[in-house]
Structures are given as structure tokens and as C-alpha cells.
Amino acid sequence: MAVRFATPEEISRWNELIINNPDGGNVFSSYEYAQQKLLGNYTLHFVMINDLAVTVLEKSTPPLGKLWYLPKGPNVTSSKALFAALKELGPFARSRGVFAVRIETELSRSEQPTLTRHGLRKATPIIPNPSTITLSISSKLDELLMNLPQKGRHAIRRAERDGVTVEQVKATDKNCKIMYKLLSETAEGQFGIRSYNYYKTFWQRFEESDLGQLFFASFEGKIVAGAYAMVYGKKSTYKDGASVRKRTAYGASHLLQWHVIEWAKSKGATLHDFCGSPPSDEIDNATHPHYGIGRFKSSFSRNVVDFIGCYDLVLKPVAYKIWTRIGERVYRHYYYKHTKDYYY
């Protein structure tokens, strides 16, 4: 394999190259996602390892050096291909002052023992879906609806009967504010969210690239739920979902999700990723912090997929040891204190 930085011509068609990777690409490895992360003070690199396109986000961490993060990458389908890619990438990154490369490839969790034996170190996931729920949407819509779990199918039909409506809307400033308010209410006490500006620029960026769509569900003239979804290659991703705290219409979020699936199919997607759930061995654990999220998503599919999550390829052991013991904690604290946003 030969490793090098991508040429300007290759960068101009980066999404095409990512989608042509062995795993079909991932929206979090996309050109748009890399551009979005400039808001987080990353430096962007677009790297080719032979024919494998790799998106790299760099954090500068003096005096230790640099940390390279590969969001949902490298886009390979086997541990053998992963190790071959990292064997080439490692020396290339080390020569540029990198002390560790953080990978997040979507290999099965069953590969974890192999990764450890090859010296990779387990790290905290950055994109919050080390486990997720997926649904094949390649069949016709009526067949797809009939094959949904009974709870999901009933909720969709009930919402339709009760008069819930769903529409695709532009990610205008007004609509982004509505969506962010819903998201803030949903997240309160459940999970953390970024600033309004981060979400607005994200939603508008992917919409402008014809990769994303904002949806609202309404009942009796009021918006009761919102969703933002993306299609990248053959895969759709349900990125953000929110609803009013006081449930006024049963099944509104289910009908909303059904319209997301319809839209995804119209854009050529054959697999829908609900983007995050409890792991497969805890999907029915009522004490899990994301039990409610998993319960909603599993009303569409019980196919829980567990990925390896994040691992670090250590290139400079001394610097990495300092990073894991104190460096990362200090940088994250300092960054949040001054920006009120997350380091990664």
C-alpha cells in the first residue's frame, strides 16, 4: 500500500471516494462532516491509503504532539484490512508528529479481542453509536410496514387516524430554532447536546449538499416532534430526534420516523440506521440510561448491531501515557471552560 495526502482533484470528489470504500462509506466520514468539525478547531486531512479514502480530523495537543481521529473510519469490512491500512498509516502519521491515531471503524464487536492482541487500546466512543439499530428498507413500503413489529405498526396507524401530519421543511433559521428547542427539552436530564449554532450549521450544511432533511410532525396545528435524517450512498441515518415533553398525540414520533424512512427510500437508501441504542445484551434492561431510546427504535426493528467503538493506535508510547493519565482530561476541561462545547 502507498499512503499519501489526497490531491485537490480527489478532495473535490471526496464523497464519491468515501462511498466507494469497501463498507459503502459513512456519512460521518463525509466531506461535509469534516467541514463541520472545523467549528471544533480541528485541522482536516484527506488521506489515501492505496485506493482507500480516509477522512482525518487532527487535534494539536502541545507539547505531546498531535492526535489523529478517523470518524467512522477507516471504512473497511475486516480486521485484516484494518491492520493492513494501519500498518501503512502509522509511520506516515508518526513522521508528522502524531502520537496516536483514534479509529472508529464499524467492525463487529466480536473483533475486539483481535484488536487488543494487535496492540490497539480501547478508547471512549466519540460518535455516540457504538451500538445501533438498523432496518433493511429495500422492500416495498407496504411490505415494509407489514413486517414492522406490531407496536411500531400500530403507533403509525394510530397517529394517522388521529390526524397527526408530517412535512419536510427547510432548515431555515426559524425552523432550526424550533427543532433545537424540541431537542433541548428532550435532552434535559437525558443526554448532552451542543450549541444551537453547531446544530444549525450542521442541518443547513447537509441540506445544502442534498444529503439531509428536516421533518416536523404536527397535531392540532402545533409542532409536536421533529427529526433530522441524512442519506449517504445506500445508507440513511436518523441523526436527531425530539418531541414535546407532554405527549399530546400517540404515535407522532413513530409516524414521523415512518416518513423519514419513506424519504430515505426515495433517495435510494436500502439500509436505515437509527444511530444509537443500548448494546444488544442490554436492550431490554430498563435501568440502562438509554432504555427509552432503545425501546422506541426497537419498535421498528430488533436488529441491534454492536460495533467495536473507538480504539487508539499508539505511535509514541510516552506521549500517549501522559495523554491518557492527565493530558486528555486537561484539554477537555480547558476547551469546555472556554468554548462551552465538547472537545471532540
Side-chain angles (χ1 to χ4, degrees):
M1 288 187 179
V3 56
R4 58 180 174 80
F5 289 117
T7 66
E9 188 277 331
E10 288 169 327
I11 295 173
S12 71
R13 54 187 181 92
W14 194 246
N15 284 334
E16 175 189 336
L17 295 176
I18 290 290
I19 290 171
N20 284 337
N21 279 338
D23 70 349
N26 192 293
V27 70
F28 295 110
S29 303
S30 67
Y31 179 82
E32 284 72 18
Y33 187 74
Q35 293 297 312
Q36 180 68 21
K37 301 309 285 185
L38 287 172
L39 295 178
N41 294 326
Y42 282 99
T43 298
L44 311 185
H45 298 295
F46 301 96
V47 175
M48 297 298 299
I49 306 175
N50 199 10
D51 293 328
L52 184 71
V54 180
T55 301
V56 177
L57 307 180
E58 176 186 291
K59 283 283 189 180
S60 180
T61 59
L64 301 178
K66 302 170 184 176
L67 174 69
W68 275 13
Y69 164 50
L70 281 50
K72 288 299 178 182
N75 302 124
V76 295
T77 56
S78 71
S79 57
K80 181 179 179 180
L82 171 65
F83 300 139
L86 294 182
K87 183 178 180 181
E88 299 295 329
L89 184 63
F92 181 80
R94 186 188 297 109
S95 69
R96 286 156 179 82
V98 178
F99 68 86
V101 176
R102 181 159 296 180
I103 66 165
E104 203 172 23
T105 182
E106 289 193 338
L107 294 180
S108 169
R109 188 171 64 177
S110 63
E111 299 276 9
Q112 286 180 339
T114 306
L115 304 183
T116 304
R117 286 199 301 271
H118 278 76
L120 294 175
R121 307 286 185 86
K122 187 71 174 146
T124 302
I126 296 178
I127 296 174
N129 67 333
S131 292
T132 191
I133 291 175
T134 63
L135 173 68
S136 171
I137 58 173
S138 57
S139 59
K140 294 180 180 179
L141 279 171
D142 55 350
E143 295 176 5
L144 188 56
L145 180 61
M146 287 301 300
N147 289 328
L148 292 183
Q150 184 178 7
K151 180 181 178 181
R153 189 170 64 250
H154 169 72
I156 291 168
R157 288 172 170 168
R158 168 75 179 274
E160 287 178 327
R161 288 198 306 269
D162 289 350
V164 176
T165 59
V166 177
E167 61 177 336
Q168 299 176 23
V169 298
K170 289 286 186 180
T172 61
D173 288 352
K174 178 182 177 181
N175 286 336
C176 286
K177 287 178 180 176
I178 293 171
M179 181 62 183
Y180 189 75
K181 184 175 184 294
L182 286 170
L183 191 62
S184 299
E185 293 174 355
T186 302
E188 188 175 357
Q190 301 295 320
F191 53 89
I193 62 173
R194 293 182 180 272
S195 68
Y196 167 68
N197 183 61
Y198 182 90
Y199 282 95
K200 184 187 78 167
T201 54
F202 191 109
W203 295 332
Q204 292 180 344
R205 186 188 308 277
F206 279 83
E207 178 186 87
E208 289 168 3
S209 298
D210 197 31
L211 296 173
Q213 180 63 53
L214 180 61
F215 299 79
F216 284 149
S218 300
F219 181 65
E220 296 181 342
K222 296 182 179 180
I223 296 172
V224 295
Y228 193 86
M230 302 172 290
V231 169
Y232 193 73
K234 295 295 183 180
K235 185 177 180 180
S236 54
T237 301
Y238 168 50
K239 182 184 181 292
D240 300 307
S243 60
V244 294
R245 281 189 170 273
K246 184 179 180 181
R247 304 293 179 179
T248 56
Y250 180 83
S253 293
H254 286 83
L255 183 59
L256 178 63
Q257 188 68 215
W258 180 247
H259 278 261
V260 169
I261 291 170
E262 288 184 328
W263 169 79
K265 279 184 62 65
S266 74
K267 301 286 285 186
T270 58
L271 183 72
H272 187 56
D273 183 354
F274 288 87
C275 203
S277 80
S280 57
D281 52 2
E282 293 194 69
I283 191 68
D284 295 318
N285 178 7
T287 65
H288 192 280
H290 297 147
Y291 172 72
I293 294 173
R295 188 178 181 191
F296 168 71
K297 295 175 180 180
S298 61
S299 66
F300 286 87
S301 170
R302 295 288 293 182
N303 185 45
V304 184
V305 183
D306 299 311
F307 301 125
I308 61 169
C310 274
Y311 276 82
D312 288 339
L313 172 67
V314 180
L315 303 178
K316 298 182 179 181
V318 174
Y320 183 76
K321 186 175 183 179
I322 297 172
W323 176 251
T324 54
R325 286 193 172 183
I326 189 172
E328 184 175 26
R329 186 167 66 252
V330 169
Y331 266 93
R332 293 179 74 160
H333 175 77
Y334 180 84
Y335 188 83
Y336 188 83
K337 181 179 179 180
H338 287 81
T339 67
K340 304 304 179 187
D341 201 358
Y342 298 107
Y343 182 68
Y344 292 115

